[in-house]
Amino acid sequence: MALQSSVVCGLIFLSAVLLSWPLGKYLSRVFKEEKTWFDFLRPVEDFIYKVCRIDSKAGMNWKQYLSAIFVINAVWFILGFAILLLQGKLFLNPSGNPSMAWSLAFNSAISFVTSTNLQHYAGETGATYLSQLSVFMFLQFVSAATSLAAGIAVLRGLANKGSSDLGNFYKDFLRSLTRILLPLSIVAAVLFMLNGMPMTFKGSDTITGLQGDTIHVARGPVAAMVPIKELGANGGGFFGANDAHPFENPNYFTFILHALIVLLLPMAFIFCMGHYLNVRRFGRMVFGVMTAGFLFVTIPIIIQETKGNADISAMGIDNASGNMEGKEIRYGSFYTAFYSGINVVVPAGTATGMHDSYMPLSAVFMLIGMHVDAFYGGPGTGWLNFFIYLVIAVFLGTLMIGRTPELFGKKIAMREMQVAASVCVVQTLVPMLLAAVACYIYVHYPGGNTGLNWLSNTGPHGFTAMVYEYVSSVSGNGSAFAGLGNNTVYWNVTTAFAMLCGRFVPMAGAFMITGLLAAKKYVSPSTGTLRIDSGTFGIFLFLVILVLNVLSFLPIFMLGPLSDHVI
């Protein structure tokens, strides 16, 4: 059975690779403005530029490009925040869902603007159809397009020799929507609808159960929202149960489709990078490192979940199905763990099982996969995070062999290294500091957990739940341990801060490094240049990523998952 499941998961992964390869070439052609299938949309795009008074031909340096991202994201946040505060009084609310409290609306708007999609509300009861479409689905599209545009801007800066022009954000952004995200989402939505996913504006349905009781079944325009939550590595579920809900995941075909489209764009962007920079061998090295990281995270999760709990076996209970607590019975422990592995390395954060019920050691690898956020990562943003690690690895590697650090013909100096190191420090420091504050409050608050009502599990498992919340927020993942009572002012505000740091600090760091490199003179590679496309460098880079992340989180592992495992 395990062998059969391994083969199926291997075929899913291989299918994602085969689909992402031509898609990567297509992405490169789109952003190089070469001829593509969707050139018939150019008049529509030109009309949008004209109405919005945008000069799509105007180039931007890194500061202008980044400023455009910040400003437009601020506008989207204000729009989303306002609608969520008023949703109970607005139209498209057939189920009569109430408006959100200010802290929940604040958290939710930032969550979807930053492509994190951390949900401190239950989708079917916490949001109206208007909010699902005009706030959450809209923000999932624009945040994913922003991610793609940011990734392409860094590639363009590296490709340019002697120019600081990163392109035009609005042009990259609009092309990401019209040429990539919308067509793929439409295809996926049709496939989902054909397999039973609801697409209606009617309110909850009422049915009579087998015992004669009345059951209210939530439904809505689900098929419109689900494709972009997966394609854009967003992860915000229409329902609180996310992909474990039968309306978001009706059958095995939709399960496979979910897995494929989560992996599709993050993989395709790596192939796009190889074609865009004309460094295909380097692209294969990057893909190999990311795949090694994916396997490093996913295989242990599968082993832990399929092996199950030894204490249950010791009680004489059949544990052959593995750890089935909190799992979707249709998919079992193997497929659920595989899907979890995908969604911690790709920050979609969707789940077919409750992470709070996973084995303690599985949490170690979930935290690693989320915190690295560069083993595929999000479309565009995964490359930005990988780029930070790449700069550090090149700097360290060249100094070890006595050569001058160079990356794509540009010398890496102390300034670039300082920026890259600062990004890594911030990404580690933010979740640790916020978790430390949460622990202090938990210990010193009058009445402790009885007064706070934060944790359904105390001790090491409760500690892991609090740390997981912040790591998930910083990494843009959005998944959570369900045992945490997180819809409070404290958790809403602090996780919002973590999400902002996780989204914009790496982006700003990657743009700054790109700008610094762009201002330097191009130097042709020589025999003294470190080969960054070799397998040896790939192994070194993989080890650098693991050392930077695993060692920094070792105290967390000891206090949380490892202690939970021993106890």
Side-chain angles (χ1 to χ4, degrees), residues 398 401-411 522-533:
T398 50
I401 60 176
R403 296 179 180 178
T404 302
E406 293 179 14
L407 183 62
F408 297 115
K410 302 295 180 71
K411 294 186 182 299
Y522 176 79
V523 179
S524 299
S526 65
T527 55
T529 302
L530 176 67
R531 287 280 304 274
I532 62 172
D533 57 0

Side-chain angles (χ1 to χ4, degrees), residues 102-104 486-495:
W102 75 268
S103 67
L104 181 57
N486 48 24
N487 185 16
T488 65
V489 173
Y490 173 81
W491 285 102
N492 285 335
V493 172
T494 56
T495 52

Side-chain angles (χ1 to χ4, degrees), residues 532-551:
I532 62 172
D533 57 0
S534 66
T536 303
F537 180 77
I539 295 172
F540 177 74
L541 175 58
F542 179 70
L543 293 176
V544 167
I545 294 173
L546 287 186
V547 168
L548 285 174
N549 290 276
V550 175
L551 288 185

